Amino acid sequence: MAKKQFKAESKRLLDLMINSIYTNKEIFLRELISNASDAIDKVYYRALTDENISFNKESYYIKVKPDKANRTLTISDTGIGMTKEELEDNLGVIARSGSLSFKKENEMAEDYDIIGQFGVGFYSAFMVADQVTVISKALGSDQAYKWESKGPDGYTIVPAEKDSIGTDIIVKIKASGEEENFDQYLDEYRLRFLIKKYSDFIRYPIKMDTTVSRLKEGSEDEYEHYTEEKTINSMVPIWRKNKNELSPEDYENFYMEKRFGFDKPLKYVHVSVAGAVSYNAILFIPEKIPYNYYTREYEKGLELYSNGVLIMNKCADLLPDYFGFVKGTVDSEDLSLNISREMLQHDRQLKIIAKNIKNKIKSELLAMLNNEREKYEKFYQSFGRQLKFGVYDNFGVDKGILQDLLMFYSSTEKKLVTLDEYIARMPEEQKFIYYASGESNERIAKMPQTELVAEKGYEILYLTDDVDEFALNILMNYKDKEFKSVSSGDLGIDTEETEPAKEKKEEELFTYMKEKLADKVKDVRASKRLKTHPVCLSNEGAISIEMEKVLNAMPTDQTIKADKVLEINTRHEVFNALIDALENNKEKLDLYTSLLYNQALLIEGLPLEDPVEFSNHICELMK
Ligand code: ADP
């Protein structure tokens, strides 16, 4: 019998896992029971749409059976089973999503828990097993097959005998060593405890032969023992339970067991709504960002049940894109069971639920922001960018929902602040909410354009994300205060200083320079905002310089240009040098003009159009 190899990547992952990424080996049981439950769900669901299949609830269950003598633990289910091909496809390849190469490319820490993220649950059995045997007979098939593997070397598949439809997973438990006690996975009491702990709310009975002792009849101290098959789990799904019966650990276990994430959720919400549309939901806000979150590969959605029966793993219609990070489960009696995906989209009930959920998430986030600031900041680190995209999406239809949740780094507070907090600190005479865009907080802090606003003592919001300025543009204002870039034409600040008497020559100078830079800037002007720096760029019109950068980084062949203005500080010595050159040496003035313009580009973080020429011009002046 030829042994088949696992796909190369699977082999490495398996190695990694056996060497225990999961410190918590006991969860293998939860993983196998979950798979068993999913397999029964699949029959249940099939029965709804196929008249030839009947689903008689009594005959569907999961059985856990330890055998100390043979050191095996068998998890059997009466679920849908697997064909030979399915055994091959489902168990011969792991981490289909390329998790390992991802991990390698991104140089993630060895202990980074990728298992939970990629649903390789079945393989967790190898953490406690020397060998795993799967005997399965698929629904609608006459032949059963046996899949067997001792670990990374490979596996075999051969025809096998099995009477009923379903799957037996036989885990050959490792010998206990000094560091690990594997015997516990053969111990009836321990297993009962683990089932209760992790799988209590599984909808199907998890049965186990349980030793029962009772006094022998007529005796006062003699016991007799016998075994009785008992159902260990309560079978009530967690979302149907009473909130005050549940502990935070219960919710965390649920999150893990559903593989919603590999982190500990930052927050959970348990909603029970009775009314026009009744539903129960448990929603989670993850702490960490899934590795593929901001890619097309990421699928948002909530698990959707209709009265306890799973309809869909990821119902996207339940979440707006900007709350796409939320995980969880929704169960409603008011949804029709055999509703198709297309119909679901237009389902009135579903729309109502989606709307409620959206509002609920918003209010939970707001509460977190107000009462658990540190947590919120963690959340914002991961998903703030998503909220800002949300503001911008669809021309801002939902900006009203999201604007209170935004935070930006503040020049005066030196931390993230909300727009509300900004407004509350505004001096009465301040007309605008000021912001500056750039690559990093450090770079923005040094931007010459911020000088006047900063000198006035006004707070400036630092925008460092691509999407920031676009989001503010769509918002336009917050509580009637307009947003204003420190680089925009009119800052709305009255400078008390009397403007330095305009030199006669000033106009002539700027006209000359403007002509020189004709294809590059719209205008050359005396700056009102510069205090100590000689030069900067500002912009006119809707497209800022930062937006120009972002838009041009996108893969289109369009080039977008902001209308730039070169501002010169007329109080700076450089200005005198310019006037001097205007009067005495036009060649020099040409060099100065080119130099100042290029300096302004550099300060702005824009590429020089001709670095060689720039360098030559400097040399020219040094001669
Ligand atoms: P996941 O469950 O996250 O997809 P697993 O590695 O646990 O990952 O399982 C891989 C696949 O193998 C499952 O998606 C399912 O199709 C199949 N499978 C696992 N266990 C069973 C089972 N007991 N009965 C039927 N199919 C199963």
Side-chain angles (χ1 to χ4, degrees):
M1 172 176 50
K3 189 173 257 181
K4 299 198 182 187
Q5 295 292 313
F6 285 105
K7 299 265 156 73
E9 183 176 84
S10 308
K11 193 164 173 307
R12 288 209 41 218
L13 190 63
L14 206 48
D15 260 333
L16 232 126
M17 176 149 30
I18 294 166
N19 298 316
S20 171
I21 308 173
Y22 262 142
T23 42
N24 206 1
K25 297 194 154 96
E26 67 194 27
I27 57 84
F28 82 93
L29 187 61
R30 170 187 81 190
E31 301 295 321
L32 297 183
I33 290 176
S34 278
N35 282 348
S37 166
D38 289 349
I40 302 177
D41 268 342
K42 284 177 190 161
V43 182
Y44 198 149
Y45 193 62
R46 191 77 83 74
L48 292 170
T49 49
D50 186 340
E51 295 168 356
N52 301 320
I53 303 167
S54 65
F55 192 92
N56 165 9
K57 220 173 168 195
E58 277 68 61
S59 45
Y60 290 91
Y61 61 88
I62 297 158
K63 179 141 186 181
V64 176
K65 195 174 174 142
D67 177 345
K68 278 192 182 154
N70 292 308
R71 289 196 75 79
T72 58
L73 176 66
T74 303
I75 291 103
S76 306
D77 66 66
T78 57
I80 196 147
M82 283 177 274
T83 61
K84 186 174 180 223
E85 289 69 37
E86 284 166 339
L87 281 167
E88 185 104 32
D89 290 348
N90 295 337
L91 308 183
V93 188
I94 46 178
R96 274 144 291 187
S97 20
S99 49
L100 252 202
S101 58
F102 173 80
K103 187 167 163 170
K104 218 164 55 197
E105 279 159 24
N106 292 275
E107 293 178 356
M108 284 166 152
E110 276 298 297
D111 63 352
Y112 181 84
D113 181 359
I114 38 176
I115 298 181
Q117 255 208 84
F118 295 100
V120 286
F122 168 76
Y123 294 88
S124 61
F126 283 102
M127 296 192 299
V128 300
D130 287 328
Q131 174 176 299
V132 181
T133 307
V134 180
I135 300 173
S136 196
K137 190 171 179 182
L139 184 65
S141 158
D142 296 328
Q143 178 65 56
Y145 286 91
K146 180 167 95 174
W147 179 101
E148 199 160 65
S149 169
K150 287 191 159 66
D153 318 336
Y155 59 92
T156 55
I157 297 183
V158 292
E161 291 294 317
K162 189 177 187 312
D163 293 338
S164 52
I165 303 298
T167 304
D168 297 335
I169 313 253
I170 304 155
V171 182
K172 177 107 185 153
I173 300 291
K174 287 183 185 174
S176 283
E178 267 180 24
E179 287 182 16
E180 292 272 5
N181 167 15
F182 290 109
D183 293 354
Q184 58 176 315
Y185 305 121
L186 297 166
D187 180 78
E188 183 188 314
Y189 295 95
R190 180 68 184 162
L191 290 167
R192 222 157 52 197
F193 169 81
L194 292 176
I195 293 169
K196 267 289 200 205
K197 177 172 171 190
Y198 291 114
S199 310
D200 192 50
F201 55 84
I202 291 285
R203 295 199 306 129
Y204 307 101
I206 303 169
K207 296 181 182 182
M208 220 173 102
D209 292 332
T210 305
T211 314
V212 183
S213 315
R214 68 173 169 211
L215 275 177
K216 264 192 176 163
E217 244 181 50
S219 163
E220 303 228 325
D221 53 2
E222 244 189 297
Y223 285 87
E224 57 180 3
H225 308 286
Y226 61 97
T227 50
E228 196 180 276
E229 191 177 68
K230 283 199 165 169
T231 296
I232 312 295
N233 54 329
S234 74
M235 293 193 281
V236 180
I238 182 169
W239 57 87
R240 289 261 181 90
K241 285 195 182 163
N242 205 324
K243 279 173 231 176
N244 37 29
E245 283 170 31
L246 294 163
S247 67
E249 288 75 45
D250 289 326
Y251 291 102
E252 275 159 26
N253 274 331
F254 179 65
Y255 184 84
M256 296 293 289
E257 118 84 41
K258 287 288 181 186
R259 305 208 190 104
F260 284 147
F262 53 101
D263 52 350
K264 219 177 172 186
L266 262 187
K267 187 154 193 146
Y268 60 82
V269 197
H270 191 158
V271 206
S272 306
V273 176
V277 180
S278 303
Y279 68 93
N280 291 300
I282 297 185
L283 306 173
F284 293 97
I285 296 169
E287 175 186 338
K288 297 209 180 103
I289 197 161
Y291 80 96
N292 62 353
Y293 188 69
Y294 287 109
T295 70
R296 221 177 283 174
E297 216 181 279
Y298 180 83
E299 261 184 273
K300 64 161 184 171
L302 298 175
E303 227 190 11
L304 182 63
Y305 286 80
S306 160
N307 208 6
V309 182
L310 184 68
I311 311 190
M312 213 184 278
N313 278 323
K314 282 190 175 163
C315 179
D317 297 319
L318 282 170
L319 289 175
D321 283 346
Y322 51 81
F323 289 153
F325 48 81
V326 173
K327 304 282 180 187
T329 299
V330 176
D331 186 2
S332 172
E333 303 156 12
D334 299 321
L335 291 172
S336 152
L337 255 180
N338 26 18
I339 193 164
S340 73
R341 269 154 215 250
E342 297 73 45
M343 273 161 66
L344 206 50
Q345 258 183 16
H346 306 289
D347 190 82
R348 204 177 58 86
Q349 269 87 355
L350 195 81
K351 280 192 178 150
I352 297 175
I353 298 176
K355 193 167 168 222
N356 287 354
I357 284 179
K358 176 168 85 179
N359 293 334
K360 187 75 195 162
I361 297 168
K362 151 94 198 246
S363 63
E364 287 298 323
L365 287 174
L366 207 56
M368 202 201 291
L369 171 61
N370 291 328
N371 310 320
E372 298 174 286
R373 182 68 168 231
E374 233 171 85
K375 245 191 200 182
Y376 188 80
E377 282 181 19
K378 258 191 209 167
F379 157 78
Y380 200 76
Q381 281 275 325
S382 298
F383 301 110
R385 193 160 157 236
Q386 174 68 82
L387 299 184
K388 293 182 280 194
F389 274 119
V391 168
Y392 179 70
D393 271 353
N394 300 322
F395 308 102
V397 276
D398 277 340
K399 62 185 183 183
I401 295 181
L402 295 170
Q403 58 183 357
D404 307 327
L405 298 172
L406 301 181
M407 295 209 285
F408 298 97
Y409 185 86
S410 150
S411 62
T412 54
E413 304 301 302
K414 312 278 183 226
K415 59 174 188 188
L416 291 172
V417 302
T418 65
L419 295 174
D420 255 335
E421 289 159 356
Y422 183 102
I423 297 241
R425 279 190 289 268
M426 271 170 84
E428 211 172 309
E429 83 280 358
Q430 185 182 336
K431 295 193 200 103
F432 299 112
I433 301 175
Y434 292 104
Y435 66 85
S437 312
E439 223 156 80
S440 64
N441 293 340
E442 295 71 32
R443 267 187 95 146
I444 297 175
K446 289 187 189 149
M447 271 169 58
Q449 290 93 328
T450 61
E451 280 197 301
L452 174 64
V453 180
E455 197 195 65
K456 278 296 249 183
Y458 296 161
E459 188 170 350
I460 302 171
L461 299 176
Y462 288 1
L463 311 189
T464 49
D465 245 345
D466 283 2
V467 63
D468 286 349
E469 210 169 339
F470 294 90
L472 291 194
N473 255 306
I474 289 273
L475 275 182
M476 289 192 296
N477 51 53
Y478 183 78
K479 302 209 167 147
D480 295 335
K481 301 284 183 197
E482 228 179 282
F483 293 102
K484 193 82 159 170
S485 162
V486 296
S487 306
S488 68
D490 175 24
L491 286 176
I493 296 176
D494 306 320
T495 34
E496 286 130 40
E497 286 170 58
T498 44
E499 303 230 344
K502 236 188 193 174
E503 273 213 46
K504 253 221 284 318
K505 292 274 173 189
E506 184 179 313
E507 224 170 280
E508 191 187 334
L509 173 70
F510 290 156
T511 314
Y512 183 90
M513 289 174 79
K514 187 178 158 187
E515 250 162 53
K516 274 279 144 205
L517 297 170
D519 50 339
K520 300 182 167 68
V521 301
K522 271 206 89 173
D523 202 3
V524 180
R525 265 181 224 154
S527 180
K528 289 187 188 155
R529 82 192 83 222
L530 290 175
K531 295 281 160 186
T532 59
H533 289 270
V535 67
C536 75
L537 285 173
S538 64
N539 76 279
E540 279 182 344
I543 297 183
S544 73
I545 294 168
E546 218 33 52
M547 288 161 94
E548 172 186 306
K549 280 191 234 167
V550 175
L551 292 170
N552 287 337
M554 289 178 182
T556 60
D557 17 314
Q558 239 178 332
T559 329
I560 287 163
K561 259 187 169 320
D563 287 336
K564 303 184 188 79
V565 174
L566 186 69
E567 296 196 5
I568 307 283
N569 185 352
T570 52
R571 295 181 211 90
H572 199 282
E573 275 173 49
V574 157
F575 180 67
N576 303 334
L578 286 169
I579 295 285
D580 189 56
L582 176 73
E583 282 165 350
N584 305 314
N585 189 343
K586 283 272 165 53
E587 248 169 62
K588 211 173 197 177
L589 181 59
D590 291 350
L591 289 175
Y592 283 165
T593 304
S594 144
L595 224 56
L596 283 173
Y597 170 68
N598 281 311
Q599 281 177 2
L601 287 180
L602 284 174
I603 291 170
E604 207 54 47
L606 287 168
L608 297 182
E609 284 143 36
D610 191 344
V612 177
E613 187 192 62
F614 176 64
S615 156
N616 287 342
H617 285 174
I618 293 179
C619 294
E620 198 73 24
L621 283 166
M622 287 170 74
K623 275 197 241 163

